[in-house]
Amino acid sequence: MSSGISPTGEKPRILIVGAAGQVGLELQRTFAGCGPIVAVDRESVDLAVPDQIRDLVRSANPQIILNAAAYTAVDHAESEPDLAMAINAHAPRILAEEALRLDALLVHYSTDYVFDGSKPEPWTEDDAPNPLNVYGATKLAGEQAIRNTGGNYLIFRTSWVYGPHGNNFLFTMLRLAGQRAQLSIVDDQFGSPTTSIELADATRAIVCGVLDGQFGTPQQWAGLYHMTCSQSTTWCGLAQAIFARAGKLLDGKAPLVTPIATADYPTPARRPRNSVLSNARLQDRFGVSLAPWQTALDAVFQALIPGAVTTSPASAQTQNTVPLQ
Ligand SMILES: NC(=O)c1ccc[n+]([C@@H]2O[C@H](COP(=O)([O-])OP(=O)(O)OC[C@H]3O[C@@H](n4cnc5c(N)ncnc54)[C@H](OP(=O)(O)O)[C@@H]3O)[C@@H](O)[C@H]2O)c1
């Protein structure tokens, strides 16, 4: 096989797109040493401009493309559907076309928001998507564009992403805690908070396995997989877990968290009630599973302030759930 990703013993050339985002930063960390990396942010390439994407890939000539870029502003997407579609669907299609041309592996991330949330159980890859909002629809179009292009791809659908860098729910909570004594947080949307650290590390394990030939041929491993931290909670549950761990950061002044219903917190974009994803296929195919979300949250606090974690993970498993993903 003459694949650009067949095991050769040589270190692969890696292109990381969206390198300044939450996941992009962690991918840079975890793939360091795996091979020469070209990491690009919006300054280097505007994904809304197709020719810039093609020029980028052709000059980097990668064997692995890690696409962590996306239009992720879920509420803003409602009023900018064309831009969201350009970044979330057209740009991944061009990356897939370029990957096919180079026989490279394209790794792409998608979202739990492709589902409408109506299923009470965790969603599998075989469940029919039915996005409730523009962001979800554009991400689904991105998945379909990659699949239709063919080639060697891995799409990892994930959820409720946060980590030690970037704009995310964790930092929103910590900022609001300094401003308010009480926070009302949505408690009837269920999902699996997933850290950028866990996502990047799992991605590296799988990509390395693919390069080593552990998972067989592309026909055996290429495709769509759910990839989230295990167990689930609500936004309110996540906020409570954050404040239970943030004692040192907040000088002991955690706000009172009041659970509210989605109906009491109207947002421009509708969100699924249940977007918990089953990771069984990821586990079965690659033997990879991500940490429980509580343990992963501990690791983010450790990354922020070593020694900051003051609770056991079990103390934060409340099934309870402000600003959302
Ligand atoms: N965040 C979540 O809760 C969540 C949930 C499920 C799935 N996902 C998926 O996970 C992946 C990683 O998300 P993330 O949380 O790391 O997102 P993020 O922190 O918002 O990073 C996305 C990156 O894409 C870049 N980008 C946006 N438009 C661009 C353009 N026109 N040209 C070049 N770069 C552009 C952004 O650059 P700027 O910083 O300059 O805007 C940003 O650095 C995405 O595929 C996302 O859809 C995320």
Side-chain angles (χ1 to χ4, degrees), residues 21-23 42 46-47 70 72 87 109-110 135 139 161 325:
Q22 300 192 81
V23 174
R42 190 196 288 265
D46 182 352
L47 295 171
T72 54
I87 310 305
Y109 298 91
S110 189
Y135 168 74
K139 292 294 293 184
V161 177
Q325 172 194 343

Side-chain angles (χ1 to χ4, degrees), residues 130-156:
N130 182 29
L132 298 177
N133 55 46
V134 167
Y135 168 74
T138 61
K139 292 294 293 184
L140 179 61
E143 292 180 6
Q144 291 164 341
I146 292 171
R147 193 162 47 237
N148 292 344
T149 302
N152 302 320
Y153 69 86
L154 287 164
I155 299 174
F156 297 130

Side-chain angles (χ1 to χ4, degrees), residues 160-174:
W160 296 24
V161 177
Y162 70 97
H165 313 283
N167 295 320
N168 60 46
F169 185 83
L170 168 63
F171 290 115
T172 302
M173 288 299 105
L174 295 177

Side-chain angles (χ1 to χ4, degrees), residues 7-169:
T8 61
E10 283 178 30
K11 290 188 170 183
R13 294 179 300 280
I14 303 166
L15 172 62
I16 302 179
V17 184
Q22 300 192 81
V23 174
L25 285 165
E26 293 299 329
L27 288 172
Q28 290 187 71
R29 171 189 60 77
T30 196
F31 275 88
C34 291
I37 294 178
V38 173
V40 295
D41 60 14
R42 190 196 288 265
E43 302 275 295
S44 316
V45 60
D46 182 352
L47 295 171
V49 184
D51 280 349
Q52 288 192 18
I53 305 173
R54 293 188 187 98
D55 290 348
L56 166 72
V57 178
R58 289 173 194 192
S59 70
N61 189 29
Q63 285 137 314
I64 300 170
I65 303 174
L66 306 173
N67 179 29
Y71 184 113
T72 54
V74 175
D75 287 315
H76 282 143
E78 297 295 308
S79 50
E80 291 188 318
D82 294 345
L83 182 59
M85 191 63 90
I87 310 305
N88 291 346
H90 302 331
R93 174 180 52 76
I94 296 164
L95 287 172
E97 290 167 357
E98 292 300 313
L100 182 64
R101 207 176 56 83
L102 294 173
D103 205 10
L105 164 63
L106 173 64
V107 178
H108 177 78
Y109 298 91
S110 189
T111 174
D112 53 333
Y113 283 9
V114 298
F115 294 117
D116 62 17
S118 60
K119 184 180 170 185
E121 300 84 28
W123 297 86
T124 73
E125 292 84 347
D126 294 328
D127 287 323
N130 182 29
L132 298 177
N133 55 46
V134 167
Y135 168 74
T138 61
K139 292 294 293 184
L140 179 61
E143 292 180 6
Q144 291 164 341
I146 292 171
R147 193 162 47 237
N148 292 344
T149 302
N152 302 320
Y153 69 86
L154 287 164
I155 299 174
F156 297 130
R157 274 193 197 139
T158 189
S159 64
W160 296 24
V161 177
Y162 70 97
H165 313 283
N167 295 320
N168 60 46
F169 185 83

